[in-house]
Amino acid sequence: MEFNIAILISGGGSNMVNIVKASQKEEIKSKVLIVIADGPQAEGIKKAKDLGVDSKIINYNKLSKKEFEQKLLGYLKKKKINLICLAGFMKILSKEFIKNWERKIINIHPSLLPSFKGLNTHEKAIKMKVKYSGCTVHFVNEKLDSGEIIDQDIVKINDKDNEHSLRKKILMKEHKLYIRVIRKMEKINGKF
Ligand code: GRF
């Protein structure tokens, strides 16, 4: 099946750009119909516009969470979205919101979950001297970075690696992983 995808971002949006391009090149069947940022700091929004994707900013800091989610829902309904991809989206959606989108919101996290949930994952991985890290795409549930895992990829950490080099290595894997997961969901009609 093809999904009508919305991508939510807060930052640079390299995963978003990668998904949009895969869709435009028909490497995935699904279409990215809208990119939504939680504020003007999200540099990715300009990239989405340049790629010709409908893009909106809903300024989280100027609204209550409820108002933010109401606006978000308005856009999602208008575009008939049936898959929300979080890609560097730094806000936590409410339980009420997530409940209505069960198994229809996926997130990418730059660690091998359930290790290193939350922020500063690369710093934590380097500090703990883990030998492997990676990235995870998972369904979003009401607990942070805790939903069912859809797929993961790994990177080896060398002695020379630091936070910066690890982030770079993992991000390259993230781009491939997100596409693989969307393809997988298309194949099984999103029914895990
Ligand atoms: C990625 O590392 C993602 O896993 C995390 O935030 C980062 C976003 O990067 N949730 P980008 O905005 O897609 O470049």
Side-chain angles (χ1 to χ4, degrees), residues 11-16 87-90 107-110 122 171 174-175:
S14 72
N15 277 287
M16 174 276 294
F89 181 69
M90 303 303 283
N107 179 44
I108 189 150
H109 183 78
H122 307 301
L171 198 58
E174 287 184 39
H175 294 169

Side-chain angles (χ1 to χ4, degrees), residues 11-25:
S14 72
N15 277 287
M16 174 276 294
V17 166
N18 195 58
I19 298 169
V20 169
K21 285 188 175 163
S23 163
Q24 291 178 341
K25 286 192 250 164

Side-chain angles (χ1 to χ4, degrees), residues 7-150:
I7 306 180
L8 272 53
I9 60 167
S10 302
S14 72
N15 277 287
M16 174 276 294
V17 166
N18 195 58
I19 298 169
V20 169
K21 285 188 175 163
S23 163
Q24 291 178 341
K25 286 192 250 164
E26 298 185 5
E27 290 166 4
I28 53 175
K29 290 189 209 151
S30 303
K31 300 276 176 292
V32 179
L33 299 186
I34 189 162
V35 172
I36 300 169
D38 61 357
Q41 83 292 338
E43 288 160 22
I45 209 75
K46 186 180 177 303
K47 299 176 194 165
K49 277 193 186 129
D50 290 346
L51 286 162
V53 182
D54 196 359
S55 331
K56 304 281 181 221
I57 295 175
I58 312 175
N59 201 332
Y60 189 92
N61 292 332
K62 294 201 168 152
L63 301 166
S64 68
K65 198 185 209 50
K66 204 166 180 186
E67 287 166 337
F68 176 87
E69 290 181 348
Q70 269 164 0
K71 284 207 171 192
L72 176 60
L73 199 60
Y75 289 133
L76 300 176
K77 285 200 167 151
K78 205 167 155 194
K79 295 281 183 182
K80 298 191 165 56
I81 298 300
N82 53 6
L83 182 66
I84 303 174
C85 296
L86 306 185
F89 181 69
M90 303 303 283
K91 300 293 180 299
I92 297 174
L93 295 165
S94 71
K95 278 182 193 163
E96 295 71 38
F97 184 92
I98 291 168
K99 204 172 62 198
N100 292 319
W101 289 83
E102 218 193 327
R103 293 171 103 75
K104 290 192 174 69
I105 313 177
I106 61 178
N107 179 44
I108 189 150
H109 183 78
S111 77
L112 290 175
L113 289 173
S115 289
F116 308 132
K117 293 176 183 168
L119 296 174
N120 308 320
T121 40
H122 307 301
E123 193 187 316
K124 290 177 195 162
I126 295 286
K127 205 169 157 200
M128 287 304 293
K129 296 196 185 304
V130 291
K131 305 303 170 214
Y132 294 91
S133 187
C135 44
T136 304
V137 176
H138 63 93
F139 286 114
V140 171
N141 67 7
E142 70 283 357
K143 283 199 205 132
L144 184 69
D145 299 327
S146 298
E148 189 182 313
I149 290 169
I150 305 171

